[in-house]
Amino acid sequence: MCGIVGYLGARDPKEVILKGLKTLEYRGYDSSGVSILNKGKFKRVRAQGKLSQLCEKLQNEDFDGHLGIGHTRWATHGKPSERNAHPHQLNHVNIVHNGIIENYAEIKEKLIKNGSQFESETDSELVAHLIEREMNFNASLLNATINIIPGLRGAYSVLAVSEKTPDQCVAFKNGPPLLIGLGEDEIIVASDIQAIISYTKKIIYLEDDEIALISPGKVEIYNFKGQRIEKSPVTVNWDASQIEKQGYPHYMLKEIFEQPRAVAQAIDPHIDLSTRKINLSGVGFNVDNFEGPEALDLKNDLLNTNEILQTIERVFIVACGTSYYAGMLGEYLIERAAEVPVEIDLASEFRYRYPVIPKNSLLIVVSQSGETADTLAALRQAKKQGALTLSICNVPRSSIDREAHGHLYMNAGVEIGVASTKAFVSSLALMNILSLSLAKAKGLLNEDLEKKCVDEIVAAPSLMEGVLAYDKFFAQAADDLKKKRGFLYLGRGVSYPIALEGALKLKELAYMHAEGYASGEMKHGPLALIDETMAIIVLCPKDELYEKTISNLEEAKARGGMIISIGTGDDERLKSISDHYLSLPETAWYVNPLLEVIPLQLLAYYVAKSLGNDVDQPRNLAKSVTVE
Ligand code: M6R
């Protein structure tokens, strides 16, 4: 949602904060600001629009202090404007906030009655008011924070500083992430590791209900009751080079090209190449704190992943956006391979639909960021109802990763483009691993079949490399495609989630009307949309549904739409009814989605680029949606 950076140390805080905000701009990019100590006072500079506007304003500003906080915003309460940009300041107190204070209206009303005047329309500003009021009654910055927290409802992470304590910063959180990097003579606090990693790899992950008091060379952690907690930093192994564009014009294109590697990294821990066997090692189901002993027949000695999988009688998959489409593929694969019934849900629906979760259920949550508010809430809800839970995340130690009983990692590396690409293919690959592991646990995967499946999955990355060559086709076709009135993406079976994902990518990036449809549904309504101004992108692999998809396509063709088809090998029949035919190499039906999505991502990328849109940071979106 928003990005936060705080700095206390020997370097120029302006440089560190701006560099950090740049790496966090994906989290929000409608306004930004900093407050940095200068001659004992916090000098605040804010700007509406992209971070570059702020950088411009700060060009000739110098600061002599060594403490500062910064923020990049994605508006929730109050429109994007300089007035609503963070930091919020009241006299000596400055704060930045990520999340939502749900009871802000009632707090604000009380403060106004007591004479406070608000500068912005945000829910965040009141935190500065509350802390300032406490400090006026002689509370220290830490105690002021401890005193105000019980009155706040919602999901928030906050950094607060005061001129009265010019060598201290307080960080506290209940919801969105906050990480503290411990460098040599410096401490950096940020919403994401990207803002920290070029200074230090020693990180403290602040948990919910924790406050960090940061002073020179020292971080003390307290709980919300003010009791001291001992916490050691962990050393992370991410690399600063992962967050550079490395010669690509956009992060998104770089990430599309990184997809073969992302898939290889996702499957690597789960495939033994010498025996050609699949395993779910590393999932590490932690059932010690399992909250549903009545609901799942887990005995104390039953901690082996394979044995746990044997007990599963029903699977729920819950996610949002692109991760939801990866989950949809999981539904097709798990039901077919493991014969376990699967329900797939949007997290925002699941959490409010009073789901019935029967005994022996496994709930899988998929989330690149591991911070999506709805997905996290769905996970908590399912845990309460007794489900065993498994997260599939790209960001280790993210909230979802930490709270689930078991863990799978996308291992896609840092994904910066707001439109998700490589995390999606990694998730698809993990859905393959998961469905086969479940099938194996259920005794439905014999050794020969297992070896065959392993061979197909292991071959996927090099097949994907070949498909990336469609880059050139879409770079050229984009100028024509952008003139279309709308796009229909069609697919059946395992290609259906890919059609939906293709349409989402185009909407996000090109801001054009695009819909994904199961091809069999065309005649039930959407056929009416088709005329020569529409582009129809059809996924038509040579699988058991091939003939049916071809007839659906003929129906569309007869109405005059421009057809781009994506099929298998040298398919003359498909070619003859298409305006453009893109051939994919032959592979197994369950691996094919990994290949099919690449041309769709390239299409969206090049159309958006040709329209002059901001590909990495599309309008109105944020990479990590940590509010409802
Ligand atoms: O981090 P998550 O995977 O939980 O995010 C879920 C969606 O917000 C995300 O996939 C969104 O749809 C992307 N912008 C898609 O490109």
Side-chain angles (χ1 to χ4, degrees), residues 320-324 366-372 375 400 410 418-421 501 504-505 508 621-625:
C320 300
T322 289
S323 292
Y324 171 76
V366 188
S367 176
Q368 187 285 130
S369 61
E371 300 294 347
T372 300
T375 311
I400 290 174
M410 297 175 192
V418 165
S420 185
T421 52
E501 169 61 6
L504 177 64
K505 284 284 95 74
E508 283 187 288
L621 301 180
K623 181 80 181 153
S624 171
V625 184

Side-chain angles (χ1 to χ4, degrees), residues 364-383:
I364 303 167
V365 278
V366 188
S367 176
Q368 187 285 130
S369 61
E371 300 294 347
T372 300
D374 284 321
T375 311
L376 180 59
L379 168 73
R380 288 176 178 162
Q381 163 92 7
K383 279 175 79 179

Side-chain angles (χ1 to χ4, degrees), residues 41-115:
K41 299 270 170 218
F42 278 104
K43 194 199 280 186
R44 179 174 64 159
V45 180
R46 300 179 296 172
Q48 185 182 339
K50 292 269 186 161
L51 188 63
S52 52
Q53 309 291 114
L54 179 69
C55 294
E56 225 166 85
K57 273 187 149 181
L58 280 168
Q59 231 164 28
N60 299 319
E61 296 284 351
D62 290 320
F63 303 84
D64 65 5
H66 290 285
L67 173 65
I69 55 176
H71 188 271
T72 176
R73 178 170 188 250
W74 187 81
T76 55
H77 294 63
K79 61 179 186 296
S81 65
E82 186 172 330
R83 191 162 71 96
N84 288 331
H86 298 219
H88 293 290
Q89 188 171 62
L90 186 69
N91 301 324
H92 54 93
V93 174
N94 283 255
I95 68 105
V96 287
H97 163 228
N98 176 22
I100 288 181
I101 311 286
E102 282 168 7
N103 56 338
Y104 82 100
E106 69 196 66
I107 300 180
K108 200 165 168 178
E109 201 184 306
K110 268 191 212 152
L111 287 168
I112 289 171
K113 269 192 194 142
N114 289 332

Side-chain angles (χ1 to χ4, degrees), residues 20-36:
L21 290 179
K22 187 78 207 139
T23 70
L24 299 183
E25 210 183 3
Y26 71 91
R27 299 177 70 89
Y29 34 84
D30 60 44
S31 54
S32 51
V34 298
S35 284
I36 300 172

Side-chain angles (χ1 to χ4, degrees), residues 247-297:
Y248 286 92
H250 296 100
Y251 281 112
M252 183 183 175
L253 192 62
K254 169 179 172 266
E255 286 159 9
I256 290 174
F257 274 81
E258 282 171 348
Q259 291 184 113
R261 184 150 52 95
V263 167
Q265 288 169 181
I267 60 176
D268 181 65
H270 309 295
I271 284 184
D272 182 336
L273 285 175
S274 58
T275 56
R276 291 155 74 205
K277 282 188 181 304
I278 293 243
N279 62 71
L280 263 196
S281 63
V283 164
F285 277 114
N286 176 0
V287 286
D288 288 350
N289 302 323
F290 189 55
E291 290 159 25
E294 310 282 2
L296 189 79
D297 291 333

